[in-house]
Amino acid sequence: MARAKSVARWGGVVLIVVLVLLGAGAGAVYYLVSRLDMRAEIERAVEQATGRDLTIAGSVGVSFYPVLGLEAHDASLANVEGGRADALAAMDAIKIGVEIVPLFQRNVVVRQLVLEHPRIALEIDTEGRTNWVLRPAAAPAPPSAPRPDVTPNRFSLRVVAIHDGEVSFYDARRGMGWAVRDADLDTALTSLDEPLRLRGSVAYHDQPITLDIGIADPRGAFSGSGTPLTVSVESALLNAAFEGNSVFSSAEMTGQARASGPSLRNFAAWAGSPISGGVGLERFAVSGIVTLGGGRFAFNDAGFTLDQIRGRGDFEIMQRHGKPYVSGRLELFDFDLNPYLTGVAPPQDALEPGGANAPAGAAGEAQTRAEIATVEAAPRTVDITEAPRETPLDLSGLRSINADLEITTAKFLFQHMQIDHALISLVLNDGYLASTLHELNLYGGTGHGRIELDAREDVLKAEQDIALQGVDAARFLTDAANVSNIEGTAELTFRLSTQGRSQSELIAGADGTAHLEVVTGALRGVDLGGVARTIRNALSGDLIAPQARTPFQGFSATFTIGDGVLASRNLSFNTPDLTMPGIGVIDLPARRLDVRLAPRSPRGGGIVIPFAVTGPFGDFDYASDIRDRAKRQIEARIVQVQAAAR
């Protein structure tokens, strides 16, 4: 009990001593304020340190909270001459904390600085000059009155705090800017020659952001020269880190950076560059060497992921004409293009940058399942087994971003087609896309060509000029048009132009030319040699059946295309026993085939007669054409198609 009373007694003594010291400190501060013209002292000290005029329009007095010291109200720091804002910084109050003990030695030692509701306006003028570079005055201004013997003679800030601040930025060269609010930041500044670390939070477009900034050379930063810099940003839409160098006078940064977020689409909208239309563009990550300045991000040796797309390269991202603009060189690993064509959102389990070129394990299996799902949802450009779709095309994705890119790809999926490798030049400008296919490796063959898409209006206009050599006909035609009964090695060239609002309109509006040649193969589902010898009203079931085949040495045809109809006068189908020249019409909008073949035996043996294959896709009729009735009808239709194609 006695021990408890002793502790309580000494505790009371300590408390009394503390209160006495606080009272003495407050009294000393009040005494100093009453003796000195602190308004002039503060203005003079700031002007000498920054080279800018400080104006204190409000009262100057004693501050007891949150710091013990001085308090000045309604203060502003001058902007550069001709600046857009009235002041570089305007504050409701400045609170300057001082140490108590030195006051008794007639010294004012500043240890804390608190800015209440500062409004800081950062600007770059049309000549690229910044307003935030502060340079100390060449020489201190002479005192307006005899200086008392009590002056602030030491500078060491253990705490610098900003409460409820606002920071705005405006670049007059581009007529654009941004602003953050609710800034609550804390730092310490023992010397301008020692590293400074700034921590706290701000709000941008109603999203809170946590900041951690390290400046290795504050004197160099504030005077306009370079300094090593570290930055860490955490928010719901973006997590980022930077380590490198910065020149504050030009707002430039160069160094190693990484950034990631759950949605590129949401991040772009939050940052003031919304991406409208389309799907995907969600989870993203990027890491590499970044150069930031002049409103652009330039990445070198960067790895990145976007949705299920992974790659690396050197590229720039900037804002141009109100939308994102991307330029540079990209190398893309395996990816699926279908989600961006079909409007079916891609899965969001993208891998981190810098991983292996091909997915593995569970991630690889998930990606494979996702690819199968998107392929099943993707329509073919032409599918002979089903009617063309009437659904209006969503072209907004082509108008949401501009680009100028050189792209090298590994395997990628386009509709039902798989391209193993491609080298592509791509330019996208306000909905107009021009793409040169320098190299294509697909289905065991190669190709090249050019594609142009004009989506600047609701009606899509398309131009295609493609040449393919040595492709596996069965695999290629199955994936491209759902034609699965032709085997062999194929060469295909086509030049097409079309326009429309839907798949059906694009098919019905197609005009151009095409040439197909297949060597050393077979036609599955029919024995044309048997048909040529035994043609009559009813054919033998084994001549037209899934197991029936027509081996051939070569098949070729050149087509004129008008209003979605393919017409040819030079069909050629050669088997080991027969030469079959012919004519034909393939009507894609009506989904109908009309072909007339005139077989000839190179050895002159057997009975062969001309015959016609006519009818809807998948339900053909076979009949003799000795009287040339089908020939005349098909030739008349060919003339119509050729006229429509001109």
Side-chain angles (χ1 to χ4, degrees):
M1 180 67 68
R3 180 179 179 84
K5 290 182 178 179
S6 176
V7 171
R9 183 169 56 253
W10 281 106
V13 171
V14 170
L15 178 59
I16 291 172
V17 171
V18 170
L19 292 175
V20 169
L21 290 175
L22 289 175
V29 172
Y30 184 81
Y31 171 73
L32 286 171
V33 171
S34 65
R35 289 193 56 194
L36 299 174
D37 182 6
M38 296 307 298
R39 182 193 310 271
E41 290 288 336
I42 296 172
E43 291 177 342
R44 186 180 299 113
V46 172
E47 290 163 9
Q48 184 175 343
T50 65
R52 303 282 183 89
D53 291 340
L54 177 71
T55 301
I56 301 175
S59 60
V60 177
V62 178
S63 167
F64 296 97
Y65 179 84
V67 298
L68 178 61
L70 311 176
E71 179 176 313
H73 292 269
D74 193 10
S76 61
L77 185 64
N79 200 354
V80 294
E81 185 177 354
R84 186 167 181 262
D86 294 334
L88 170 62
M91 295 144 283
D92 286 358
I94 305 175
K95 298 182 179 181
I96 304 171
V98 297
E99 288 192 357
I100 296 175
V101 174
L103 293 176
F104 296 100
Q105 284 80 45
R106 306 173 69 80
N107 285 326
V108 179
V109 180
V110 178
R111 287 303 192 217
Q112 292 178 298
L113 180 65
V114 178
L115 308 180
E116 297 289 350
H117 190 42
R119 284 86 67 197
I120 302 170
L122 307 177
E123 301 174 7
I124 301 178
D125 66 15
T126 55
E127 302 299 323
R129 295 183 295 260
T130 58
N131 74 333
W132 58 79
V133 176
L134 304 177
R135 294 182 173 87
S144 56
R147 300 295 300 273
D149 54 0
V150 180
T151 59
N153 65 357
R154 280 196 285 165
F155 178 78
S156 179
L157 295 175
R158 291 193 181 125
V159 176
V160 178
I162 293 176
H163 294 163
D164 191 25
E166 298 177 8
V167 181
S168 64
F169 171 80
Y170 181 77
D171 189 340
R173 297 169 300 179
R174 296 171 178 80
M176 57 180 293
W178 49 259
V180 298
R181 58 179 181 79
D182 297 339
D184 291 296
L185 304 169
D186 295 282
T187 187
L189 185 62
T190 57
S191 168
L192 288 175
D193 298 312
E194 295 184 12
L196 177 150
R197 190 171 185 182
L198 180 68
R199 298 176 180 175
S201 64
V202 299
Y204 179 69
H205 286 182
D206 297 324
Q207 286 287 341
I209 305 170
T210 300
L211 297 174
D212 189 340
I213 301 173
I215 302 174
D217 181 10
R219 187 182 300 277
F222 298 139
S223 65
S225 60
T227 178
L229 176 71
T230 61
V231 179
S232 175
V233 176
E234 294 183 3
S235 70
L237 295 175
L238 176 70
N239 291 317
F242 171 85
E243 182 175 359
N245 292 280
S246 177
V247 179
F248 279 35
S249 60
S250 58
E252 295 179 351
M253 298 166 58
T254 301
Q256 190 72 33
R258 58 178 174 82
S260 62
S263 173
L264 180 62
R265 187 179 295 274
N266 291 342
F267 172 73
W270 176 65
S273 302
I275 301 173
S276 60
V279 299
L281 305 181
E282 296 298 335
R283 187 174 300 279
F284 69 94
V286 61
S287 64
I289 300 173
V290 66
T291 299
L292 169 62
R296 57 185 274 271
F297 291 84
F299 282 91
N300 292 309
D301 193 25
F304 62 89
T305 66
L306 176 59
D307 300 327
Q308 286 290 325
I309 300 175
R310 298 177 299 125
R312 60 189 174 207
D314 306 312
F315 55 93
E316 295 183 5
I317 304 174
M318 67 183 71
Q319 180 85 351
R320 183 179 287 183
H321 305 303
K323 64 182 64 176
Y325 173 77
V326 184
S327 63
R329 177 193 59 82
L330 301 179
E331 179 183 357
L332 303 180
F333 307 143
D334 298 356
F335 71 99
D336 184 358
L337 193 58
N338 284 321
Y340 311 98
L341 302 175
T342 62
V344 177
Q348 294 303 313
D349 54 346
L351 305 178
E352 290 297 322
N357 288 10
E365 294 175 4
Q367 183 167 333
T368 300
R369 290 193 300 271
E371 290 173 352
I372 293 173
T374 60
V375 167
E376 291 176 347
R380 294 173 172 85
T381 302
V382 177
D383 190 340
I384 66 167
T385 66
E386 61 181 34
R389 301 190 182 191
E390 303 286 347
T391 307
L393 300 171
D394 182 2
L395 308 177
S396 56
L398 289 175
R399 298 190 289 261
S400 64
I401 188 170
N402 292 334
D404 185 355
L405 297 168
E406 293 286 336
I407 302 174
T408 302
T409 76
K411 182 191 79 172
F412 72 92
L413 298 175
F414 170 72
Q415 296 181 340
H416 288 248
M417 297 178 62
Q418 176 177 307
I419 289 82
D420 299 316
H421 166 77
L423 175 59
I424 304 170
S425 297
L426 180 150
V427 175
L428 178 59
N429 184 27
D430 293 336
Y432 183 85
L433 182 147
S435 178
T436 301
L437 313 176
H438 300 286
E439 297 178 11
L440 289 176
N441 292 333
L442 68 169
Y443 300 99
T446 60
H448 63 276
R450 182 173 175 82
I451 298 174
E452 296 182 19
L453 301 177
D454 187 349
R456 289 173 291 188
E457 299 178 356
D458 291 340
V459 177
L460 174 65
K461 299 177 182 178
E463 303 275 349
Q464 300 180 57
D465 189 353
I466 306 292
L468 305 176
Q469 304 86 31
V471 298
D472 183 327
R475 293 170 53 216
F476 172 75
L477 292 175
T478 297
D479 289 348
N482 217 0
V483 177
S484 59
N485 59 343
I486 299 178
E487 300 174 356
T489 302
E491 292 186 6
L492 173 65
T493 61
F494 58 89
R495 179 176 295 175
L496 294 174
S497 64
T498 186
Q499 61 180 4
R501 294 181 174 84
S502 64
Q503 183 191 40
S504 63
E505 290 185 7
L506 290 174
I507 291 175
D511 296 326
T513 60
H515 178 78
L516 173 65
E517 186 168 347
V518 186
V519 298
T520 314
L523 182 66
R524 295 197 301 262
V526 61
D527 180 356
L528 288 180
V531 171
R533 292 184 177 87
T534 63
I535 189 75
R536 46 187 182 267
N537 291 336
L539 293 173
S540 172
D542 59 355
L543 297 182
I544 304 172
Q547 68 274 11
R549 297 177 78 250
T550 305
F552 60 78
Q553 295 170 330
F555 165 70
S556 65
T558 300
F559 296 95
T560 298
I561 305 172
D563 294 339
V565 182
L566 289 73
S568 177
R569 293 183 181 275
N570 63 351
L571 292 175
S572 177
F573 195 92
N574 300 320
T575 73
D577 301 322
L578 295 171
T579 298
M580 300 187 195
I583 58 176
V585 172
I586 305 173
D587 190 332
L588 295 177
R591 304 180 60 247
R592 179 181 175 86
L593 174 71
D594 291 280
V595 173
R596 197 255 192 188
L597 298 173
R600 300 183 182 91
S601 174
R603 294 183 293 275
I607 300 174
V608 292
I609 57 175
F611 66 94
V613 183
T614 61
F617 292 161
D619 188 19
F620 301 138
D621 290 327
Y622 296 80
S624 65
D625 193 39
I626 298 176
R627 300 180 183 274
D628 293 339
R629 180 179 178 181
K631 178 181 178 181
R632 290 190 295 271
Q633 293 176 343
I634 293 173
E635 285 181 337
R637 190 69 194 283
I638 290 173
V639 172
Q640 294 175 350
V641 173
Q642 290 175 336
R646 291 195 181 104

